[in-house]
Amino acid sequence: MEKIQHTTLTTNGINMHVASIGSGPVILFLHGFPELWYSWRHQLLSLSSLGYRCVAPDLRGYGDTDAPTSAASYTEFHVVGDLVGLLDTLGVEHVYLVGHDWGALIAWSFCRFRPDRVKALVNLSVAYRPRNPMVKPVEGLRALFGDDYYVCRFQEPGETEDDIAQLGTEKLFKLFFTSRDPRPFYISKETGLRGWPDPPPLPSWISELDIDYFANKFNQTGFTGGLNYYRALDRTWELTAPWTGLEIKVPVKFVVGDLDITYHIPGVKEYIHDGGFKKDVPYLQEVVVVEGAAHFINQEKPEEISMHIYDFIKKF
C-alpha cells in the first residue's frame, strides 16, 4: 500500500485527490457510495503488478477531493467533466474504465458522453438504466417502493446527515459492509438508521483498520457530498433528455453478486438476462453473476474481481 502515490490535481474547477500506482495502459477506477479510492486498494495493487497504470480518484464530494456545497453541482455532467479533465491533466487519451455502485452509474454516463475516451468498460453491481422520458428517477422509485426507500429518504438536505451523526460513522460502515440482505433498503422516518439491528462481526474480507480508514475520512468530510449524488438524480434526468434512447457503444463486461441489493430490484434480472441489457448496450460481451457475493464485491472478492477485469481488458 505504501507504493501507492497520492496527488492532488485541478480539474473542472475543483481539486481532486488521486491515488495511482504502476505504469502502462491506464485503468480508471470509480468508487461508489459511501466510499473512497480506498475501495479499489486490492485492484490497484494486483492490476499494477500485471502491467497497468491504475488510477483511482476520490470523486467530487468525497475524501480529499473538493466538495461543492450545492446538490446542483453533482449532476453526472459535473462528475464526468471532472474525470475527462483528470485524463487531460494526466495526458491520457484513452482508458479502461472500471466502476462500482455510483461509480458504475458515472461510468455508464462517461460512455454515453465520451465513448471516444474509453477502450473498454468493466462495471460492477449497477447495470445500465436507460432514461425513461416519462418519469423522473426519484418519482419512479417512490412509486415503486414508497417514501421510506433509501433514495427517497436521502433527498431531504440534512435529514440523513443528522441520522448518521446519531448512529455513528463507524457503525454505519459496519452495517453497510456486513449487510447480505438483498431486499430493498428502507429507512423509517421514525427510527432512521438507528432502527437497524446491530451489525454482526466483521467478515474476513474487511478489517477494523479498513473500517477506521473509511470512518476517519467521513468524520472529517461528512456525508453531504456523497448524498448530493442522489439529490441531483432528477436534475441529471432533466439535462440528459437529448440522450434518450442512446445505446452504449463501448465493449462491456458486467459483474454482479447474486446477493447484491441492486440485482434484486424488480425487473433488473429480467433486463440483464432476457435481452434488454444487450439491446441498450450492444457491445456487451460478458455478464457474470458471482455466487454468494453481496454488494461490495470488489472488496469481498478482490482476487476474483481483479481477474475478471484483467481477463477482459487484455483483449483490447
Side-chain angles (χ1 to χ4, degrees):
M1 290 284 284
E2 66 278 358
K3 293 179 181 176
I4 296 173
Q5 296 179 317
H6 295 271
T7 53
T8 300
L9 303 173
T10 301
T11 173
N12 196 23
I14 65 168
N15 295 309
M16 174 172 269
H17 166 247
V18 180
S20 62
I21 184 172
S23 59
V26 174
I27 310 173
L28 179 62
F29 294 90
L30 309 179
H31 68 78
F33 174 87
E35 300 180 76
L36 300 162
W37 75 269
Y38 188 82
S39 300
W40 298 110
R41 60 198 179 280
H42 304 295
Q43 286 74 36
L44 292 180
L45 297 177
S46 58
L47 288 159
S48 63
S49 74
L50 292 169
Y52 292 91
R53 182 182 181 189
C54 297
V55 177
D58 284 336
L59 295 179
R60 168 182 293 244
Y62 287 96
D64 294 319
T65 293
D66 286 352
T69 53
S70 169
S73 297
Y74 289 81
T75 70
E76 289 168 25
F77 288 95
H78 289 88
V79 187
V80 173
D82 298 342
L83 298 169
V84 171
L86 170 63
L87 298 185
D88 290 345
T89 299
L90 294 173
V92 175
E93 189 63 32
H94 303 103
V95 293
Y96 300 107
L97 202 53
V98 180
H100 169 255
D101 184 79
W102 255 106
L105 282 170
I106 298 302
W108 292 123
S109 287
F110 194 119
C111 293
R112 183 192 295 147
F113 302 147
R114 294 302 304 268
D116 58 304
R117 306 297 292 267
V118 182
K119 295 185 207 175
L121 166 65
V122 179
N123 250 353
L124 313 178
S125 176
V126 179
Y128 183 62
R129 295 173 185 172
R131 182 182 183 276
N132 181 345
M134 305 307 294
V135 185
K136 290 186 178 184
V138 177
E139 182 184 315
L141 291 168
R142 201 182 301 277
L144 189 60
F145 296 112
D147 290 339
D148 284 350
Y149 189 58
Y150 77 102
V151 176
C152 304
R153 189 62 65 215
F154 284 176
Q155 295 302 310
E156 186 60 39
E159 186 178 293
T160 302
E161 290 91 329
D162 291 345
D163 196 11
I164 293 169
Q166 292 183 54
L167 178 75
T169 307
E170 183 180 315
K171 187 174 181 181
L172 178 82
F173 280 105
K174 289 182 175 180
L175 284 167
F176 277 177
F177 287 139
T178 58
S179 175
R180 307 191 72 73
D181 185 348
R183 293 175 298 179
F185 171 27
Y186 292 105
I187 303 173
S188 161
K189 188 161 181 71
E190 286 70 41
T191 58
L193 292 163
R194 290 153 294 135
W196 283 17
D198 286 337
L202 291 179
S204 59
W205 56 266
I206 194 141
S207 70
E208 290 284 354
L209 286 174
D210 296 328
I211 295 289
D212 287 347
Y213 188 89
F214 284 107
N216 289 338
K217 279 293 174 194
F218 278 86
N219 279 334
Q220 293 168 27
T221 63
F223 287 81
T224 300
L227 291 165
N228 277 341
Y229 284 67
Y230 296 92
R231 294 165 185 163
L233 273 168
D234 284 351
R235 183 64 178 142
T236 290
W237 178 86
E238 293 169 0
L239 294 169
T240 49
W243 286 267
T244 301
L246 186 80
E247 295 174 345
I248 299 295
K249 290 192 172 176
V250 302
V252 174
K253 179 175 186 173
F254 178 69
V255 185
V256 66
D258 68 350
L259 296 176
D260 194 318
I261 187 172
T262 64
Y263 190 54
H264 292 262
I265 293 171
V268 165
K269 286 183 189 177
E270 293 79 7
Y271 174 74
I272 290 172
H273 299 294
D274 294 348
F277 196 9
K278 179 70 172 173
K279 179 177 176 292
D280 293 327
V281 186
Y283 303 157
L284 176 68
Q285 298 190 13
E286 295 180 57
V287 172
V288 180
V289 181
V290 180
E291 193 174 332
H295 182 64
F296 296 96
I297 192 168
N298 46 330
Q299 298 183 74
E300 182 181 345
K301 303 280 187 183
E303 296 86 3
E304 194 172 336
I305 293 303
S306 293
M307 283 303 100
H308 276 306
I309 296 167
Y310 177 68
D311 287 344
F312 188 63
I313 67 173
K314 71 181 181 183
K315 302 175 189 175
F316 303 97

